[in-house]
Amino acid sequence: MVAESSTKTISVTLRVWRQAGPSQPGKFVEYQAKNLNPNMSFLEMLDVVNDELTVKGEEPIAFAHDCREGICGTCSLVIDGKPHGPHRAVASCQTYVRSFADGAVITVEPFRAKPFPVIKDLITERSALDKIQQAGGFISVRTGAAPDANSIPVAKDVAELAMDAAQCIGCGACVAACKNASAMLFVAAKVSHLGLLPQGQVERGRRVLAMVRKMDELGFGSCTNQYECSAACPKLVSHDFIARMNRDYISALVHETFAPASPTMSGGA
Amino acid sequence: MAQLDSKIPSGPLADKWRKHKVESKLVNPANKRKYEILVVGAGLAGSSAAATLAELGYKVKCFVFHDSPRRAHSISAQGGINAAKNYQNDGDSVYRLFYDTIKGGDYRSREANVHRLAEVSVNIIDQCAAQGVPFAREYGGLLANRSFGGAQVSRTFYARGQTGQQLLLGAYSALSRMIGAGGVELFSNEEMSDLVVINGHAKGIITRNLNTGQIRRWSGDAVILATGGYGNVYNLSTYARQSNATAIWRAYKRGACFANPCFTQIHPTCIPVSGDYQSKLTLMSESLRNDGRIWVPKRKEDCKKDPGTIAEDDRDYYLERMYPSFGNLAPRDISSRAAKRVCDEGRGVGETGLGVYLDFSDAINRLGENVVRERYGNLFDIYHEITNENGYKTPMRIYPAMHYTMGGLWVDYNLMSNVPGLYVLGEANFSDHGANRLGASALMQGLADGYFVIPNTIGDYLAGQKPGSRPPADAPEFKQAEDNVRSIISRLLSVPGKEPVSHYHKRLGQIMWTYCGMARTKEGLEKALQEIPKLREEFWANVKVPGSEATLNQSLERACRVADFFELGELLCLDALTREESCGSHFREEYQYPNGECKRDDEKFAHAAAWEYQGEGKPPLRNIEPLNYESVKMSVRNYK
Ligand SMILES: Cc1cc2nc3c(=O)[nH]c(=O)nc-3n(C[C@H](O)[C@H](O)[C@H](O)COP(=O)(O)OP(=O)(O)OC[C@H]3O[C@@H](n4cnc5c(N)ncnc54)[C@H](O)[C@@H]3O)c2cc1C
Ligand code: FES
């Protein structure tokens, strides 16, 4: 029982952003993708187009991908104006040809955000997200120093909520979807994941201050509560976490301002 | 001929690791920062190693070809991680986990390593929980467990169907902390392309930056490879598309022995192939077998019918029938072969006939759809996205696919290869899983190697190296290695060919799957050993690699990796041909019991085969490390 549509093929026109390098100008170029099996993934369609280009002696379209099952966060296409394409709760690699009408013209672009410069064609540089993690996205626990795991009980609903936040795949679609290129959802996911758990309490204030400051320093914009971010998130990480982070941030700021200076409040690792 | 000294400590099995730690040489704290360790890879094994070594005070440089350490293939592990915590009070213990793993590996792994793995498994869970890994919990707040194949206890810890993701993010957070603190320098998009060996010791690597094409030399006091498995030699697999064998393969060509390459695992529960455009196969976690029942119709005529219309009596729940005590949780090699067998009999389902049902209707009746959704919701979602079918309503269709590689670079008890100073961790080494890995044991091994083994064993080597003695990067060996990398790249770019790399990768994969997949024969393997070199020649004469080496060039990246797969594929088949027995995942049709089970030959093959490169065009040398079982008696595996 293969999906019904599998017998009928689909042909589409792709308008793809081509840009040879970081400082080169880019432009849209049209390609025809013909007689596609609807059960093919969007990236498999690009594979086929690329093989055809290669045979013709042209350079294939560079696009980022790896796991092709929605978990590594590498794929990062804007399809018809939407980060990760038309469907909710999936990454670009989980988008299938069957979602498009025969004869459709599909525009494919890279994530567009100032902190994510284009490296080539559809590939952008997203290491800014790693830098935010390095500023404080962790619980400081040296290897070997941990107590027995069951000595720190965590209520099931708290663990589940922490897991909802922890699911973030770090793709940056939230940034690409936000008109201000804010990384608030990304940061809020990590801050909430760790801040919800008992293990994360000691560094809670320091963590949120350090991560938010790093985010600002790296040129991400601010949040104006449009919630395009959570709508584009392939894991549907909720914008409620942003509100949670804002509360943490304010209370940490108050604490930092009025509490006596202590080295643990200085942020960073 | 390589020296294979396994360095297994003497004394009773359960004391070996403790004793070894006490007896190993240490590097004093003030000297640690004088040593520079190059860690290649930041999956579970690499990031846990890099973070922990930096905590100890070593200077660490970490290289990944990904754009971030968080993208390593470990991220996609779904089901869980084993540990002998015995939180369920169901009779588990370090010994039982050790024993299950040895038996699961069909008595082809090293006893002492496996026992150590079982010992440190409990520390891993503590470490991960303290880092904030959001493991599944029971209502009382304590950790929840489930069962995996090859075990009769519940010792698997999990975080929904995203355990690998959460464990990797834990290790990544430890790594990020040490990067922030200046203990680790991270180099992303940097692919290791060669190993530099000086006076017989590993002292550096050559990398290519995948964004700029720049080729660089790095000198170090020791090199750690944690670069993952080589299953993409089969082209279609559950691996991420970029997973590759280049780091270990180039190290092999510099003298590191490659052990048991033919021990490759085929996972029984994956979404079947749907067309020739297919780029990868998606796993449906083994955890599904806790509640899903596997069946095919008893009669061929029923195979194309709607499964809902096939009466209970007309279904063959073949795993439950053949292995009543393990049932649907029989180990992977056994379940995969059973699926192949029923499909070969013409009882497979789906359009291609290469599929069996994984049916949740019983579980849904017993527990309700909500409970099933809570346990496996994301897996049902993945299934739906890919197949456009609803697994809650109709049974899923699954088929075995290439999934994991037990073989890898040979290492001793310290995880050092036969090249001094070269360590190999995680899936890249051969050590702990023998001829078949049990579910939820790879994550355990990766983190055991990185968090708990290497920090305790690397000092023994470094203590013998004078601080500051690492060679300068202008040593002739560096130049020679760099020239080697440049010449491979320019050769590939200058082939006046016509076919894209994918064309050759697919054809190589077909040869591997046909002749060296779930069932292997002498004739088939000999055929593969004729066809692979022929196809390789064609590849080098007719591949088309557009673009230049001085920019991001994905065709070139893939061409380099596939070139290595061609050579590795050949070694894999040679190993399979030479191992004239069946064991675990290595099933040679000539060697089986009348009921179709593996027939080992302990007299001739109770050893690891460690292949040693002898130079271009020369047959490799087959060294052996005998496996001596002191505590466990080797017996015929029985899961009935
Ligand atoms: C779909 C799937 C599900 C799985 N589920 C489970 C499970 O539930 N339980 C379980 O125990 N196991 C599971 N496994 C197996 C397990 O995930 C892997 O064996 C394990 O994660 C491997 O970890 P690793 O650290 O050795 O390598 P990887 O995670 O593969 O990391 C390799 C690293 O090396 C780097 N690298 C590689 N080559 C180079 C190079 N030449 N230069 C620079 N860097 C390089 C990469 O960038 C990456 O950082 C699963 C595997 C798959 C495919
Ligand atoms: S390729 Fe991994 S999330 Fe899409």
Side-chain angles (χ1 to χ4, degrees):
Chain A
M1 283 216 324
V2 168
E4 279 167 46
S5 44
S6 70
T7 43
K8 232 183 100 226
T9 63
I10 291 176
S11 298
V12 296
T13 303
L14 300 172
R15 286 180 66 235
V16 181
W17 183 259
R18 300 298 310 256
Q19 180 173 342
S23 48
Q24 257 113 317
K27 61 169 195 283
F28 283 104
V29 179
E30 277 195 9
Y31 301 98
Q32 303 301 323
K34 293 204 177 111
N35 305 324
L36 307 168
N37 182 321
N39 284 328
M40 201 182 227
S41 75
F42 199 84
L43 300 191
E44 284 167 344
M45 171 181 69
L46 291 181
D47 292 339
V48 170
V49 170
N50 274 345
D51 279 353
E52 288 166 7
L53 289 175
T54 304
V55 170
K56 278 196 274 179
E58 290 176 41
E59 254 205 78
I61 304 159
F63 65 95
H65 66 94
D66 196 18
C67 74
R68 297 200 173 196
E69 53 192 47
I71 194 75
C72 72
T74 307
C75 62
S76 40
L77 301 178
V78 176
I79 304 171
D80 284 339
K82 290 196 168 156
H84 290 314
H87 284 297
R88 264 164 69 82
V90 295
S92 313
C93 60
Q94 298 165 292
T95 302
Y96 285 78
V97 167
R98 65 174 101 84
S99 304
F100 299 89
D102 191 28
V105 179
I106 307 170
T107 306
V108 193
E109 298 167 82
F111 279 3
R112 302 220 188 252
K114 203 172 107 234
F116 295 166
V118 172
I119 300 170
K120 185 172 182 174
D121 296 341
L122 303 172
I123 301 184
T124 58
E125 164 72 56
R126 286 169 289 172
S127 59
L129 298 179
D130 286 326
K131 299 202 175 92
I132 299 176
Q133 298 280 4
Q134 290 153 17
F138 45 75
I139 291 171
S140 302
V141 44
R142 240 180 330 100
T143 303
D148 183 84
N150 261 351
S151 67
I152 323 166
V154 181
K156 190 175 161 72
D157 53 343
V158 172
E160 292 292 327
L161 190 59
M163 180 67 198
D164 287 344
Q167 286 198 79
C168 164
I169 61 173
C171 60
C174 47
V175 178
C178 174
K179 65 179 169 41
N180 308 324
S182 169
M184 284 291 266
L185 188 64
F186 170 80
V187 179
K190 187 49 51 180
V191 162
S192 303
H193 156 210
L194 298 177
L196 275 159
L197 295 170
Q199 303 92 299
Q201 295 313 308
V202 176
E203 294 168 292
R204 187 165 164 184
R206 167 167 81 130
R207 177 182 310 118
V208 66
L209 292 179
M211 291 183 81
V212 169
R213 283 171 185 161
K214 191 51 139 191
M215 171 181 78
D216 292 343
E217 180 194 317
L218 291 168
F220 290 94
S222 52
C223 171
T224 47
N225 301 324
Q226 310 281 311
Y227 303 140
E228 294 292 343
C229 51
S230 46
C233 175
K235 294 292 165 199
L236 293 182
V237 171
S238 161
H239 52 251
D240 291 348
F241 291 120
I242 296 181
R244 176 179 285 278
M245 175 170 80
N246 284 335
R247 288 198 298 275
D248 273 13
Y249 182 77
I250 289 167
S251 101
L253 202 62
V254 169
H255 193 80
E256 186 190 55
T257 314
F258 297 104
S262 98
T264 55
M265 290 303 297
S266 59
Chain B
M1 197 159 187
Q3 289 301 316
L4 299 182
D5 177 0
S6 61
K7 304 218 181 79
I8 298 171
S10 58
L13 187 62
D15 292 342
K16 285 182 195 289
W17 178 230
R18 192 183 45 79
K19 182 166 161 278
H20 188 67
K21 283 192 284 185
V22 174
E23 289 170 0
S24 293
K25 282 181 246 150
L26 296 176
V27 175
N28 92 51
N31 273 347
K32 287 208 177 90
R33 66 190 149 79
K34 297 183 188 151
Y35 291 103
E36 199 154 295
I37 303 174
L38 309 178
V39 178
V40 186
L44 287 183
S47 44
S48 57
T52 306
L53 292 169
E55 283 167 13
L56 289 173
Y58 294 110
K59 273 179 76 177
V60 176
K61 287 198 165 84
C62 182
F63 303 85
V64 296
F65 72 71
H66 288 98
D67 70 342
S68 161
R70 68 180 294 154
R71 313 243 188 261
H73 174 54
S74 295
I75 202 90
S76 37
Q78 302 171 348
I81 177 167
N82 286 332
K85 280 286 197 187
N86 194 28
Y87 283 161
Q88 304 298 324
N89 197 25
D90 58 359
D92 201 9
S93 61
V94 165
Y95 185 83
R96 192 179 284 274
L97 174 54
F98 154 75
Y99 177 78
D100 286 350
T101 308
I102 289 276
K103 175 183 169 193
D106 213 357
Y107 305 92
R108 289 292 176 265
S109 42
R110 202 189 274 148
E111 240 187 3
N113 284 55
V114 177
H115 199 275
R116 173 177 65 191
L117 177 63
E119 285 173 55
V120 304
S121 70
V122 296
N123 306 109
I124 295 172
I125 300 304
D126 297 343
Q127 185 64 30
C128 296
Q131 285 168 345
V133 171
F135 283 120
R137 302 270 164 176
E138 293 167 352
Y139 280 104
L142 303 182
L143 290 157
N145 290 113
R146 59 186 172 203
S147 310
F148 256 60
Q152 287 171 314
V153 294
S154 279
R155 61 160 78 96
T156 305
F157 295 78
Y158 62 100
R160 295 195 189 146
Q162 287 136 278
T163 316
Q165 180 198 26
Q166 294 309 315
L167 295 175
L168 182 62
L169 292 181
Y172 164 75
S173 73
L175 177 64
S176 296
R177 178 170 85 93
M178 292 319 295
I179 294 169
V184 179
E185 241 184 301
L186 172 71
F187 299 90
S188 301
N189 304 302
E190 200 77 34
E191 178 150 303
M192 168 179 160
S193 314
D194 210 345
L195 178 74
V196 180
V197 180
I198 298 182
N199 296 329
H201 289 237
K203 289 295 169 194
I205 60 170
I206 307 294
T207 62
R208 175 172 184 273
N209 185 289
L210 301 183
N211 286 350
T212 64
Q214 196 191 359
I215 292 177
R216 296 202 268 181
R217 307 172 179 186
W218 308 90
S219 145
D221 294 283
V223 177
I224 296 178
L225 303 185
T227 51
Y230 53 88
N232 274 344
V233 63
Y234 287 76
N235 183 38
L236 285 185
S237 77
T238 62
Y239 284 76
R241 277 313 278 166
Q242 315 283 355
S243 292
N244 69 86
T246 290
I248 55 171
W249 190 250
R250 307 260 168 112
Y252 164 75
K253 292 177 91 171
R254 295 277 172 200
C257 288
F258 204 122
N260 301 336
C262 80
F263 289 171
T264 54
Q265 178 166 79
I266 289 166
H267 197 295
T269 55
C270 303
I271 300 179
V273 175
S274 71
D276 61 1
Y277 51 80
Q278 190 109 20
S279 60
K280 78 157 282 167
L281 296 171
T282 300
L283 175 74
M284 290 282 99
S285 167
E286 177 162 317
S287 58
L288 289 170
R289 293 198 272 146
N290 273 290
D291 289 307
R293 298 179 69 196
I294 294 180
W295 63 277
V296 290
K298 282 187 181 155
R299 288 189 305 260
K300 285 185 197 173
E301 308 82 83
D302 288 348
C303 289
K304 299 281 173 221
K305 285 191 188 154
D306 175 351
T309 64
I310 300 174
E312 199 57 29
D313 272 357
D314 294 333
R315 301 176 174 193
D316 179 10
Y317 294 91
Y318 57 88
L319 285 177
E320 297 169 29
R321 172 172 59 79
M322 298 193 299
Y323 307 99
S325 55
F326 281 73
N328 293 298
L329 285 173
R332 291 177 176 174
D333 52 335
I334 289 178
S335 311
S336 292
R337 272 195 298 278
K340 178 178 187 313
R341 219 172 295 145
V342 295
C343 292
D344 288 350
E345 287 164 20
R347 296 193 288 138
V349 299
E351 219 167 55
T352 58
L354 295 177
V356 301
Y357 290 124
L358 175 62
D359 193 337
F360 287 85
S361 48
D362 271 5
I364 291 173
N365 288 338
R366 185 164 34 99
L367 306 163
E369 193 174 311
N370 274 344
V371 175
V372 173
R373 192 182 300 276
E374 189 186 305
R375 286 187 190 163
Y376 314 107
N378 73 316
L379 297 168
F380 279 72
D381 291 348
I382 292 177
Y383 186 78
H384 179 248
E385 269 149 27
I386 295 177
T387 63
N388 211 12
E389 290 173 27
N390 180 346
Y392 299 103
K393 299 277 174 275
T394 46
M396 294 181 179
R397 279 176 303 105
I398 53 162
Y399 196 69
M402 181 59 220
H403 176 63
Y404 179 87
T405 53
M406 283 75 67
L409 293 186
W410 183 89
V411 288
D412 65 16
Y413 189 71
N414 293 323
L415 303 184
M416 187 160 88
S417 73
N418 58 302
V419 176
L422 178 68
Y423 290 81
V424 192
L425 318 185
E427 192 174 339
N429 74 25
F430 90 113
S431 64
D432 296 352
H433 306 291
N436 172 57
R437 174 174 73 79
L438 291 183
S441 292
L443 301 181
M444 169 172 73
Q445 183 223 331
L447 291 179
D449 288 0
Y451 282 135
F452 296 108
V453 181
I454 191 73
N456 282 299
T457 58
I458 201 166
D460 203 57
Y461 170 75
L462 290 175
Q465 308 296 305
K466 243 178 80 203
S469 71
R470 66 177 166 272
D474 56 6
E477 289 86 349
F478 276 95
K479 177 168 186 323
Q480 195 272 337
E482 182 180 325
D483 289 348
N484 176 47
V485 173
R486 289 187 188 279
S487 86
I488 296 171
I489 291 172
S490 56
R491 257 179 83 198
L492 283 167
L493 286 170
S494 61
V495 179
K498 291 202 175 55
E499 295 286 354
V501 183
S502 65
H503 171 84
Y504 291 102
H505 198 178
K506 274 184 199 165
R507 284 173 63 193
L508 173 65
Q510 272 155 5
I511 298 176
M512 297 301 299
W513 182 250
T514 309
Y515 299 115
C516 203
M518 273 185 281
R520 304 161 175 184
T521 64
K522 181 165 184 284
E523 293 70 51
L525 290 164
E526 281 169 352
K527 183 123 200 279
L529 285 168
Q530 284 169 359
E531 287 195 5
I532 294 170
K534 263 196 269 166
L535 187 63
R536 180 170 62 230
E537 252 173 60
E538 200 189 315
F539 167 82
W540 280 102
N542 197 35
V543 71
K544 171 88 194 162
V545 185
S548 100
E549 78 262 39
T551 57
L552 188 152
N553 184 340
Q554 292 176 312
S555 308
L556 177 62
E557 289 163 28
R558 186 154 180 210
C560 290
R561 295 166 184 170
V562 170
D564 290 337
F565 283 143
F566 267 111
E567 299 180 5
L568 170 53
E570 192 177 347
L571 185 71
L572 205 161
C573 292
L574 180 62
D575 188 43
L577 178 68
T578 324
R579 191 170 276 280
E580 293 175 326
E581 64 163 351
S582 293
C583 57
S585 62
H586 171 62
F587 189 72
R588 285 280 302 265
E589 287 187 3
E590 303 92 321
Y591 310 101
Q592 56 178 307
Y593 290 104
N595 63 359
E597 302 294 349
C598 281
K599 192 168 186 179
R600 286 198 325 260
D601 184 342
D602 291 339
E603 227 153 76
K604 286 208 221 114
F605 291 100
H607 59 240
W611 296 88
E612 186 182 350
Y613 186 66
Q614 299 290 296
E616 198 80 47
K618 292 189 196 135
L621 200 66
R622 188 177 190 272
N623 301 292
I624 62 168
E625 180 204 337
L627 296 169
N628 300 315
Y629 284 84
E630 295 171 12
S631 297
V632 173
K633 213 171 123 289
M634 296 171 100
S635 61
V636 177
R637 282 195 313 173
N638 181 3
Y639 289 99
K640 294 216 183 272

